[in-house]
């Protein structure tokens, strides 16, 4: 019974979070456009499914992803094996990014647009290879980004200097990268910070900083997501330079 009550309260919280979106859509549809909501029954059913899915997703994070991420990070820190920890960090970043639905969608869209624009040959094989190459490039960059973030936590490096240096690299690459890849590169930095990557990477940073003496989870535990957003922009621009040759 207590579990059902907790689930019901979580659903109410999810609904509360969606209320601003519902109000905005309803206002512009009914007041500005002055048109009734199309397929109201379908919209209500879809809204219920969204609330239910969001609730179950949050439950899953709390019960599974966050605990396992923190536990494994602490275990690696206690073991004291730098190579194992760095390998885990890379595989975590690479694996979660490859699984990101948002990345799959934007890679496929970018490949189709590139084919239509004459950047690559307009064949199904070339489109699939371009999309796969883009996905693997972003995944590789996130893997490297998580390794850099873990190394920062271990060494105690200030995040501000690393971020400023990284964005300086983004600016310099923007000046020389082909125009057709710049927008895709910038968007790639955003799609990596989505539903799968963020929980596990955040748990990794917090767990690792909590297990290392002299590290503050509030100061050192966060910041991995920033690297996961930064490096894909650089890697994808380099990928565009290679493809355009």
């Amino acid at each position: 019974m207590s579990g059902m009550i907790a689930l019901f309260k979580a659903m109410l919280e999810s609904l509360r979070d969606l209320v601003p979106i519902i109000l905005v859509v309803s206002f512009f549809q009914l007041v500005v456009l002055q048109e009734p909501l199309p397929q109201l029954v379908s919209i209500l059913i879809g809204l219920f499914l969204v609330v239910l899915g969001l609730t179950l997703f949050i439950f899953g994070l709390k019960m599974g992803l966050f605990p396992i991420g923190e536990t494994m990070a602490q275990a690696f820190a206690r073991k004291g094996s730098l190579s194992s920890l760095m390998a885990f960090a890379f595989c975590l970043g690479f694996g979660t990014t490859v699984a990101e639905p948002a990345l799959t969608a934007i890679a496929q869209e970018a490949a189709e647009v590139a084919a239509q624009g004459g950047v690559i040959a307009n064949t199904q094989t070339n489109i699939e290879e371009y999309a796969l190459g883009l996905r693997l490039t972003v995944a590789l960059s996130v893997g490297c980004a998580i390794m850099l973030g873990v190394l920062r936590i271990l060494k105690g490096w200030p995040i501000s200097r690393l971020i400023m240096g990284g964005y300086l690299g983004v600016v310099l690459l923007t000046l020389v990268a082909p125009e057709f890849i710049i927008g895709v590169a910038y968007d790639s930095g955003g799609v990596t910070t989505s539903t799968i990557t963020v929980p596990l990477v955040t748990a990794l940073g917090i767990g690792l900083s909590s297990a290392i003496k002299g590290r503050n989870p509030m100061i050192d535990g966060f910041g991995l997501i920033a690297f996961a957003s930064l490096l894909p922009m650089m890697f994808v621009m380099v990928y565009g330079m290679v493809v355009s040759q």
Side-chain angles (χ1 to χ4, degrees), residues 11 33-34 47 64 98 121 126 146 159 182 186 189 194 202 225 236:
M11 290 185 68
L33 297 178
Q34 295 183 349
L47 179 62
V98 166
N126 286 330
I146 304 306
I159 189 173
I182 294 176
Y186 286 177
S194 190
T202 302
I225 303 301
V236 171

Side-chain angles (χ1 to χ4, degrees), residues 137-158:
T137 299
V138 175
L140 177 64
S141 68
V142 175
C144 295
I146 304 306
M147 290 176 62
L148 177 61
V150 167
L151 192 60
R152 180 192 73 84
I153 295 175
L154 296 176
K155 299 295 185 180
W157 294 335

